Amino acid sequence: MDTEGFAGGEDAAVGGIAADRLRSIIERVERLEEERKALAGDIKDIFTEAKSAGFDVKVIRQIIRLRKQEPSEVEEQETLLDIYRRALGM
């Protein structure tokens, strides 16, 4: 037994911290970060495909952003955009 009265196993608390629990949390976050990195690469590949097919990637990104919003928010933004354009004589 060590000085804290714990066996040297994974479940031992070090300085009041459950080392195995901490390691598990850190490893889960690291795995998710790797997955996110892989997904970001996949998304980039899809945008490259869209561009090579002649689509405007900037517009596709705008559409994706709009689809995430509530319809009322989109309508409000479009109304304001129209008002601002008219105010500027556009």
Side-chain angles (χ1 to χ4, degrees):
M1 295 227 171
D2 63 17
T3 58
E4 295 290 324
F6 294 105
E10 279 190 273
D11 292 336
V14 178
I17 298 174
D20 61 330
R21 175 71 183 203
L22 178 60
R23 184 177 302 107
S24 171
I25 289 169
I26 291 170
E27 289 172 353
R28 286 169 39 208
V29 169
E30 289 172 338
R31 276 193 303 275
L32 289 172
E33 286 176 344
E34 283 299 316
E35 288 176 26
R36 179 172 46 190
K37 185 177 177 183
L39 288 172
D42 292 344
I43 291 169
K44 182 179 178 187
D45 292 344
I46 292 170
F47 282 123
T48 301
E49 176 186 340
K51 185 175 182 178
S52 68
F55 294 106
D56 186 324
V57 173
K58 188 175 179 180
V59 174
I60 291 173
R61 289 183 188 276
Q62 283 182 303
I63 291 171
I64 291 169
R65 195 169 30 253
L66 288 171
R67 288 171 53 116
K68 290 178 184 178
Q69 295 177 353
E70 293 294 321
S72 61
E73 288 179 45
V74 174
E75 185 178 340
E76 181 181 340
Q77 287 178 2
E78 288 175 350
T79 300
L80 284 172
L81 182 59
D82 185 49
I83 290 169
Y84 291 177
R85 282 182 175 161
R86 281 189 274 136
L88 295 171
M90 298 176 70

